[in-house]
Amino acid sequence: MITFGGDGPPIVLLHGLMGRATTWWRVARRLEPYGRVHGLDARGHGRGPRGGPWRTERFADDVAEVLRTFGEPAILIGHSMGGLHAWVTAATHPGLVRAVVCEDFAPDQRGRTVDTWRGYFDSWPVPFRSLAHVREFFGDTGDYFIECVEEREDGYHLIASLSDLYEIAAEWGRRDFWEFVERVKCPLLAIEGERTAMPPGQQAELAARVPGGLGRHIVVQGAGHVVHDEAPETYLGAVEAFLSDVLGQPFFS
């Protein structure tokens, strides 16, 4: 875990597949007025622990282990895979989570396979020759991906193991996670990109199925999967308004 800064209630940022905690730098800086902001490298990512089992409940247990060190419930903010881990942690360890933000992830992707991902990853010009090469190749999400690579003798490679990533994502195609959504007992904000690749309608349903009317859902126009990078001001405005409501403190933007 890394600590970005700020004071007050713990806020923990959970990255997506192939990412790492440092991808949250710009978001973390904006959220510091709302609490003490931390970022967690998931198992198999960044400097996180290696080795499975690659099961969502195991990732949630990893998050819960960190949350127990705070002495008070934390706000979990997750992108994609991190959003899944956030709401599963809230469902399985309810006393540790005060609120959840889930960015662009759907609970039921059964039937999808990692075959398309394999083709995409195989198209990458690995090793990248420089960080500038990484940024150029990924375009609008270049700043995100330069945090996800490391320099080796022959150039820059993804830090996470592709075989681990395939196994993690394969689980999403075999099972759904609605049972966890329906066990969440805290406020939840679902942020969906207009150009999402997730099954249509599910993110709105996710918010609607949080018990007690505690779920909210917004769609960010023009954004794809990485909403916090592609439409940062809209994303941050929504998150800051949500935090202000949850924490009962002023909206700082």
Side-chain angles (χ1 to χ4, degrees), residues 40-173:
L40 182 64
D41 280 348
R43 180 173 298 272
H45 294 72
R47 303 303 172 211
R50 297 307 182 201
W54 306 114
R55 189 166 171 81
T56 297
E57 288 88 339
R58 177 63 182 273
F59 286 103
D61 287 344
D62 288 342
V63 176
E65 184 177 346
V66 171
L67 301 190
R68 290 190 186 97
T69 67
F70 295 137
E72 63 177 301
I75 294 165
L76 297 181
I77 298 177
H79 168 240
S80 191
M81 177 187 77
L84 170 64
H85 295 170
W87 88 62
V88 172
T89 303
T92 54
H93 304 276
L96 299 176
V97 182
R98 185 171 183 173
V100 168
V101 176
C102 173
E103 176 189 349
D104 214 61
F105 198 87
D108 187 354
Q109 301 179 53
R110 286 175 295 175
R112 293 189 172 191
T113 71
V114 297
D115 292 342
T116 302
W117 294 39
R118 291 180 192 274
Y120 173 57
F121 289 144
D122 287 346
S123 74
W124 291 7
V126 177
F128 293 96
R129 295 188 296 277
S130 69
L131 292 177
H133 185 199
V134 175
R135 184 180 283 110
E136 177 183 79
F137 180 79
F138 289 105
D140 290 343
T141 54
D143 286 342
Y144 179 93
F145 277 100
I146 62 171
E147 299 288 347
C148 304
V149 298
E150 64 182 356
E151 187 175 16
R152 302 176 190 168
E153 188 173 337
D154 60 345
Y156 289 85
H157 295 256
L158 192 68
I159 297 174
S161 162
L162 287 179
S163 61
D164 291 345
L165 299 183
Y166 293 143
E167 194 169 343
I168 292 167
E171 183 200 31
W172 307 336

Side-chain angles (χ1 to χ4, degrees), residues 171-185:
E171 183 200 31
W172 307 336
R174 295 193 300 265
R175 58 186 296 212
D176 73 83
F177 298 90
W178 287 116
E179 63 169 298
F180 298 102
V181 175
E182 293 166 352
R183 290 161 55 191
V184 172
K185 297 179 180 179

Side-chain angles (χ1 to χ4, degrees), residues 9-11 34 72-77 97-101 185-189 214-216 238-251:
I11 299 171
Y34 298 90
E72 63 177 301
I75 294 165
L76 297 181
I77 298 177
V97 182
R98 185 171 183 173
V100 168
V101 176
K185 297 179 180 179
C186 64
L188 180 148
L189 172 64
L214 293 174
R216 310 176 194 178
V239 172
E240 290 181 89
F242 178 70
L243 292 181
S244 296
D245 189 30
V246 167
L247 297 172
Q249 64 186 53
F251 186 14

